[in-house]
Amino acid sequence: MRWRWMVALGRQMGLATPQLREAALAGLLLDIGKARLPSELLTRPARLQGDELALMRRHAEIGHALLSRLDGVPRSVLDAVRHHHERLDGSGYPDRLRAEAIPAFARMAAVCDAYDAVTSRRPYRAPWDPGLAMRHLAQSPREFDAVIVQHFVKAVGIYPTGTLLRLKSERLAVVIGRGGSLLTPRVRVFYSVDERHAIEPFDLDLSDPRCEDAVAGIEPPEAWRFPGLEQLWLRG
């Protein structure tokens, strides 16, 4: 998905078509260096520590080295591959770059990669709710470029597809797409909180002037443990 996030972000930022192609390529190749790491390291069902974590972090340098040997790889792509784990406050890796020293494409990739990482399932943890992931990015200005995060929010939405919402009608719904504004997505309603049971799913555009419902807040999926929640929004 990262290449899609990169393209969506690039479009929102007004990048020209050649740059959008580079953004897509960067998204596809960000973790190419992991192909040279031991497979058991990538599938370990626990957080990595010590030497293993240090080795995993080398994937950025390894990927950059691999691509640098090839002709025609754009500089922007090389920058993104090497520096997508850098952070504005210098806490990232591999070069501990700060602020504007981090290339623009790498700052874009940092946002897209972080969002994709926390919303994806890992062997050691469940995925974050997309809305909570977006909030994390917005609340981390020391790490992520605030202007790029704002563009990302506009491109993806405050409530990205898959976000579990509580509506003011005391029903639960999952976001299935963008609505008329960032605050009014299209949702699929499927559960009554008051009655504590599932209801026949139906779609609702919260931006429709005739709609009498609205978002009350974001709900953490782990608190509800609905089976097959992803299937509700994957059906489109």
Side-chain angles (χ1 to χ4, degrees):
M1 286 292 288
R2 284 174 303 182
W3 71 270
R4 295 182 181 178
W5 302 139
M6 286 288 285
V7 171
L9 175 58
R11 283 179 177 155
Q12 179 63 39
M13 294 174 66
L15 299 188
T17 299
Q19 293 175 300
L20 291 178
R21 293 195 184 101
E22 293 178 12
L25 184 60
L28 288 169
L29 296 175
L30 284 183
D31 285 342
I32 191 172
K34 289 183 179 179
R36 293 295 180 89
L37 297 180
S39 59
E40 59 270 19
L41 201 65
L42 305 177
T43 58
R44 183 69 52 81
R47 289 187 179 277
L48 301 178
Q49 304 288 338
D51 291 343
E52 290 183 329
L53 178 60
L55 178 58
M56 175 64 80
R57 288 184 168 183
R58 288 201 60 224
H59 77 272
E61 297 170 271
I62 294 171
H64 180 265
L66 287 172
L67 295 175
S68 295
R69 300 186 190 121
L70 304 178
D71 293 330
V73 179
R75 174 61 182 272
S76 60
V77 175
L78 294 175
D79 285 342
V81 170
R82 183 177 181 90
H83 298 300
H84 65 282
H85 285 290
E86 304 285 3
R87 297 295 181 258
L88 297 187
D89 61 2
S91 63
Y93 62 89
D95 300 314
R96 301 185 70 83
L97 299 182
R98 289 177 173 270
E100 295 299 319
I102 305 172
F105 253 55
R107 280 180 275 133
M108 291 172 59
V111 171
C112 295
D113 180 69
Y115 177 81
D116 183 76
V118 297
T119 57
S120 299
R121 185 172 297 278
R122 292 290 186 263
Y124 53 86
R125 63 153 175 80
W128 288 19
D129 176 89
L132 296 177
M134 197 67 77
R135 184 181 302 175
H136 167 72
L137 291 174
Q139 293 176 344
S140 304
R142 292 174 57 85
E143 299 181 52
F144 303 104
D145 187 309
V147 174
I148 289 178
V149 170
Q150 289 174 11
H151 282 299
F152 189 70
V153 170
K154 291 178 181 177
V156 178
I158 293 174
Y159 306 119
T161 299
T163 304
L164 181 63
L165 300 177
R166 181 189 290 253
L167 304 180
K168 289 185 176 179
S169 61
E170 286 301 302
R171 295 177 295 190
L172 298 184
V174 64
V175 177
I176 59 174
R178 293 283 297 276
S181 77
L182 294 176
L183 297 174
T184 54
R186 290 186 298 111
V187 301
R188 182 159 292 143
V189 184
F190 68 95
Y191 189 85
S192 171
V193 176
D194 284 340
E195 299 176 5
R196 307 292 293 186
H197 67 72
I199 59 178
E200 184 67 25
F202 65 93
D203 297 351
L204 196 60
D205 185 347
L206 297 179
S207 65
D208 190 324
R210 297 167 296 179
C211 178
E212 297 180 352
D213 217 338
V215 175
I218 297 173
E219 289 287 319
E222 63 272 15
W224 294 90
R225 300 181 181 178
F226 291 119
L229 183 61
E230 293 178 354
Q231 296 304 314
L232 276 171
W233 58 267
L234 285 175
R235 291 186 305 185

